[in-house]
Amino acid sequence: MNTSIELLRTLDDYLKRRITLQELESWVVPRLPILLDAPDSSVAQLAAAVELYLAEFHSGIRTERSVRVALSRCLALERKEWFLYPSEQERSVTSSASTVPIELPVLLSQLRVWRSEPVEGLG
């Protein structure tokens, strides 16, 4: 299984209260060398945020509620798109995920104006 998917699944389990903060920490900490292997990746940034929030919790800077809110905001900043690819056998399906960063200003600046005249019925 892909470690990034496992991290997202574990964070989802924590945010939906299926696991405790201690269980989240027990899962994340041993995997930090793997998760932080590519520091510029979104997975590494998310893992670093989890590590920071856990450290702040243990230092008394954050409450568990604050950790939960901060992690949910981190996940909201990322949008995951799932694509299903049919395998050779019709009975099984293979799935894949890719991260698409949300950059609305860049997207809007790249849109082309296809029509410069007003359209009847609009406006």
Side-chain angles (χ1 to χ4, degrees):
M1 169 108 0
N2 189 343
T3 308
S4 62
I5 294 172
E6 289 177 1
L7 174 61
L8 292 172
R9 182 174 291 145
T10 304
L11 286 174
D12 186 58
D13 286 345
Y14 171 69
L15 293 174
K16 291 182 178 175
R17 299 177 190 270
R18 288 183 233 156
I19 63 172
T20 65
L21 184 63
Q22 184 179 13
E23 290 171 318
L24 171 67
E25 184 175 18
S26 296
W27 187 90
V28 169
V29 171
R31 291 168 179 80
L32 281 175
I34 297 167
L35 294 169
L36 299 174
D37 188 40
D40 293 333
S41 70
S42 62
V43 174
Q45 292 174 3
L46 185 58
V50 172
E51 180 184 24
L52 173 65
Y53 299 146
L54 288 170
E56 289 177 345
F57 172 76
H58 289 295
S59 297
I61 297 170
R62 286 188 183 269
T63 63
E64 184 173 355
R65 181 179 181 192
S66 173
V67 170
R68 194 178 303 277
V69 168
L71 288 175
S72 65
R73 286 184 182 156
C74 284
L75 289 179
L77 293 176
E78 290 192 21
R79 187 182 78 193
K80 299 290 177 189
E81 292 188 8
W82 291 88
F83 302 95
L84 295 178
Y85 297 102
S87 66
E88 293 178 12
Q89 299 174 353
E90 292 181 11
R91 288 184 250 155
S92 63
V93 175
T94 305
S95 64
S96 175
S98 68
T99 303
V100 180
I102 300 173
E103 298 180 21
L104 189 56
V106 174
L107 177 66
L108 292 176
S109 68
Q110 294 176 354
L111 293 177
R112 296 185 181 173
V113 178
W114 295 100
R115 180 167 250 217
S116 58
E117 309 91 38
V119 178
E120 289 184 36
L122 294 178

